[in-house]
Amino acid sequence: MKRIKAIYPGSFDPPTNGHLDLIERGSKIFDELVVAILRNPEKDPLFSVADRRKMLEAMTADFDNVSVDTFDGLTVDYALRVEARVILRGIRAISDYEYELQMALMNRKLQPGLETVFMMPAEKYSYLSSRLVREVAQLGGSIECLVPELVAQKLREKMDVAHKFENGDQLAGKAHTEAKGKFRKKKL
């Protein structure tokens, strides 16, 4: 009997409870599941690839048949390199389906022996995306039920640093403006 190896590719910036849901359910379907983090030089990620990998490795440590890896280039080329037969993708809404269908058909054209399996997330995660998590965190909202605790902690650290930097810039700019104003007054 053939073992079925699947990859679950994505940016995972940051990893969410929705990702973890698909990883957990995918681990029950496939003999081996590789969570594959795409290195995309065109995107400006919140977390480095190394940070995302560490978070995902911690999140998946309890799954014996799940590993985490990174890749760049075409997903089909990576799948061939690791000898995967399946690409696992999550679909939350009709808009996801249209995009994912195009990608699956292109992947099939490029590599006919590679199958794409779509999974719906658990209902409670059907609205969840990394982009929304980043936005909620950046605006100071609660992300506790959206991401694992490790990811929430890393997001809080990132946002605290960004907030301090932003406030520092504003204070520095204000001090600079006040200093210029005082300098002008002295000249007059």
Side-chain angles (χ1 to χ4, degrees):
M1 188 161 119
K2 275 191 172 180
R3 292 181 52 81
I4 299 176
K5 183 175 188 176
I7 61 170
Y8 178 28
S11 60
F12 305 101
D13 186 35
T16 68
N17 286 337
H19 293 133
L20 189 56
D21 174 57
L22 261 75
I23 292 167
E24 181 178 355
R25 291 190 298 124
S27 74
K28 294 173 183 172
I29 296 171
F30 304 109
D31 297 305
E32 188 177 346
L33 179 62
V34 179
V35 179
I37 305 164
L38 174 64
R39 288 187 298 254
N40 188 344
E42 293 178 15
K43 286 190 175 181
D44 185 26
L46 181 61
F47 290 102
S48 70
V49 171
D51 286 341
R52 286 178 271 162
R53 184 175 189 153
K54 286 178 192 170
M55 287 186 278
L56 283 161
E57 285 173 342
M59 290 166 55
T60 60
D62 292 338
F63 303 111
D64 294 336
N65 63 336
V66 174
S67 61
V68 180
D69 197 8
T70 62
F71 77 103
D72 49 21
L74 291 173
T75 302
V76 293
D77 291 343
Y78 174 74
L80 286 176
R81 200 165 48 250
V82 298
E83 299 178 348
R85 296 177 42 210
V86 176
I87 298 172
L88 173 62
R89 297 297 297 162
I91 296 183
R92 296 169 303 218
I94 295 296
S95 56
D96 284 349
Y97 177 76
E98 290 177 29
Y99 172 78
E100 292 295 342
L101 177 63
Q102 286 181 324
M103 292 301 297
L105 292 173
M106 179 57 74
N107 288 341
R108 182 183 295 160
K109 179 75 172 167
L110 295 171
Q111 194 51 245
L114 191 60
E115 293 294 336
T116 300
V117 172
F118 297 117
M119 288 181 71
M120 302 292 292
E123 188 176 321
K124 62 185 174 181
Y125 304 126
S126 62
Y127 62 90
L128 191 53
S129 72
S130 292
R131 181 187 56 79
L132 285 175
V133 168
R134 285 192 309 270
E135 287 179 19
V136 169
Q138 287 169 343
L139 295 171
S142 175
I143 53 169
E144 306 308 317
C145 62
L146 308 177
V147 295
E149 178 52 38
L150 168 70
V151 177
Q153 179 61 38
K154 296 287 186 189
L155 277 164
R156 282 191 294 271
E157 290 170 10
K158 280 267 189 211
M159 296 307 130
D160 284 348
V161 168
H163 183 69
K164 286 176 186 173
F165 180 75
E166 183 180 282
N167 285 342
D169 274 359
Q170 288 173 350
L171 292 174
K174 183 178 178 184
H176 179 69
T177 302
E178 287 173 359
K180 274 176 74 175
K182 288 177 184 176
F183 181 73
R184 283 190 198 136
K185 287 177 187 172
K186 287 181 183 179
K187 268 180 102 175
L188 296 174

Short mmCIF file of all heavy atoms in Angstrom, two decimals, residues 7 74-87 114:
data_model
loop_
_atom_site.label_atom_id
_atom_site.label_comp_id
_atom_site.label_asym_id
_atom_site.label_seq_id
_atom_site.Cartn_x
_atom_site.Cartn_y
_atom_site.Cartn_z
N ILE A 7 1.60 18.12 1.12
CA ILE A 7 2.16 19.38 1.59
C ILE A 7 1.01 20.35 1.82
O ILE A 7 0.00 20.32 1.11
CB ILE A 7 3.20 19.97 0.61
CG1 ILE A 7 2.57 20.29 -0.76
CG2 ILE A 7 4.41 19.06 0.48
CD1 ILE A 7 3.47 21.10 -1.67
N LEU A 74 8.04 27.45 -7.42
CA LEU A 74 6.73 26.84 -7.67
C LEU A 74 6.40 25.76 -6.65
O LEU A 74 7.25 24.92 -6.31
CB LEU A 74 6.70 26.22 -9.07
CG LEU A 74 6.72 27.18 -10.25
CD1 LEU A 74 6.85 26.41 -11.55
CD2 LEU A 74 5.46 28.04 -10.25
N THR A 75 5.17 25.74 -6.20
CA THR A 75 4.71 24.73 -5.25
C THR A 75 4.84 23.33 -5.84
O THR A 75 5.24 22.40 -5.14
CB THR A 75 3.24 25.01 -4.84
OG1 THR A 75 3.17 26.32 -4.27
CG2 THR A 75 2.73 23.99 -3.86
N VAL A 76 4.53 23.18 -7.13
CA VAL A 76 4.61 21.85 -7.74
C VAL A 76 6.05 21.34 -7.77
O VAL A 76 6.28 20.14 -7.60
CB VAL A 76 3.99 21.82 -9.16
CG1 VAL A 76 2.49 22.04 -9.10
CG2 VAL A 76 4.66 22.80 -10.10
N ASP A 77 7.01 22.23 -7.99
CA ASP A 77 8.41 21.82 -7.97
C ASP A 77 8.83 21.37 -6.58
O ASP A 77 9.53 20.37 -6.42
CB ASP A 77 9.33 22.95 -8.45
CG ASP A 77 9.16 23.26 -9.93
OD1 ASP A 77 8.60 22.41 -10.66
OD2 ASP A 77 9.59 24.36 -10.34
N TYR A 78 8.37 22.10 -5.57
CA TYR A 78 8.67 21.71 -4.19
C TYR A 78 8.02 20.35 -3.87
O TYR A 78 8.66 19.48 -3.28
CB TYR A 78 8.18 22.77 -3.20
CG TYR A 78 8.34 22.34 -1.77
CD1 TYR A 78 9.60 22.31 -1.17
CD2 TYR A 78 7.25 21.90 -1.03
CE1 TYR A 78 9.76 21.87 0.13
CE2 TYR A 78 7.40 21.46 0.27
CZ TYR A 78 8.66 21.45 0.84
OH TYR A 78 8.81 21.00 2.13
N ALA A 79 6.78 20.18 -4.28
CA ALA A 79 6.08 18.91 -4.03
C ALA A 79 6.85 17.74 -4.64
O ALA A 79 7.00 16.69 -3.99
CB ALA A 79 4.66 18.97 -4.58
N LEU A 80 7.33 17.91 -5.86
CA LEU A 80 8.11 16.85 -6.50
C LEU A 80 9.40 16.59 -5.73
O LEU A 80 9.81 15.43 -5.55
CB LEU A 80 8.44 17.22 -7.95
CG LEU A 80 7.30 17.11 -8.94
CD1 LEU A 80 7.74 17.60 -10.32
CD2 LEU A 80 6.78 15.68 -9.02
N ARG A 81 10.05 17.66 -5.29
CA ARG A 81 11.32 17.53 -4.58
C ARG A 81 11.17 16.71 -3.30
O ARG A 81 12.04 15.93 -2.95
CB ARG A 81 11.87 18.93 -4.29
CG ARG A 81 13.32 18.99 -4.01
CD ARG A 81 13.94 20.38 -4.07
NE ARG A 81 13.24 21.44 -3.37
CZ ARG A 81 12.59 22.44 -3.96
NH1 ARG A 81 12.55 22.53 -5.28
NH2 ARG A 81 12.00 23.38 -3.24
N VAL A 82 10.05 16.90 -2.59
CA VAL A 82 9.85 16.17 -1.33
C VAL A 82 9.01 14.90 -1.53
O VAL A 82 8.64 14.24 -0.56
CB VAL A 82 9.23 17.07 -0.23
CG1 VAL A 82 10.15 18.22 0.11
CG2 VAL A 82 7.83 17.54 -0.58
N GLU A 83 8.69 14.59 -2.79
CA GLU A 83 7.95 13.38 -3.16
C GLU A 83 6.54 13.35 -2.58
O GLU A 83 6.03 12.31 -2.16
CB GLU A 83 8.73 12.13 -2.78
CG GLU A 83 10.08 12.05 -3.49
CD GLU A 83 10.90 10.83 -3.08
OE1 GLU A 83 10.56 10.14 -2.10
OE2 GLU A 83 11.90 10.58 -3.78
N ALA A 84 5.89 14.52 -2.56
CA ALA A 84 4.50 14.60 -2.12
C ALA A 84 3.59 14.30 -3.30
O ALA A 84 3.91 14.62 -4.44
CB ALA A 84 4.20 15.98 -1.55
N ARG A 85 2.45 13.72 -3.02
CA ARG A 85 1.47 13.40 -4.06
C ARG A 85 0.24 14.29 -3.99
O ARG A 85 -0.60 14.27 -4.89
CB ARG A 85 1.05 11.94 -3.94
CG ARG A 85 2.22 11.00 -4.21
CD ARG A 85 1.88 9.53 -4.03
NE ARG A 85 0.59 9.17 -4.58
CZ ARG A 85 -0.17 8.21 -4.09
NH1 ARG A 85 0.24 7.49 -3.06
NH2 ARG A 85 -1.33 7.92 -4.64
N VAL A 86 0.14 15.09 -2.89
CA VAL A 86 -1.06 15.89 -2.65
C VAL A 86 -0.68 17.27 -2.14
O VAL A 86 0.26 17.41 -1.35
CB VAL A 86 -1.98 15.20 -1.62
CG1 VAL A 86 -3.18 16.07 -1.28
CG2 VAL A 86 -2.42 13.84 -2.10
N ILE A 87 -1.43 18.28 -2.60
CA ILE A 87 -1.36 19.63 -2.04
C ILE A 87 -2.65 19.85 -1.26
O ILE A 87 -3.74 19.71 -1.81
CB ILE A 87 -1.24 20.70 -3.16
CG1 ILE A 87 0.03 20.51 -3.97
CG2 ILE A 87 -1.27 22.10 -2.54
CD1 ILE A 87 0.12 21.41 -5.20
N LEU A 114 0.01 15.30 -9.57
CA LEU A 114 -0.14 15.91 -8.25
C LEU A 114 -1.60 16.32 -8.05
O LEU A 114 -2.17 17.04 -8.85
CB LEU A 114 0.77 17.15 -8.18
CG LEU A 114 0.99 17.81 -6.84
CD1 LEU A 114 1.62 16.85 -5.84
CD2 LEU A 114 1.88 19.04 -7.03
#
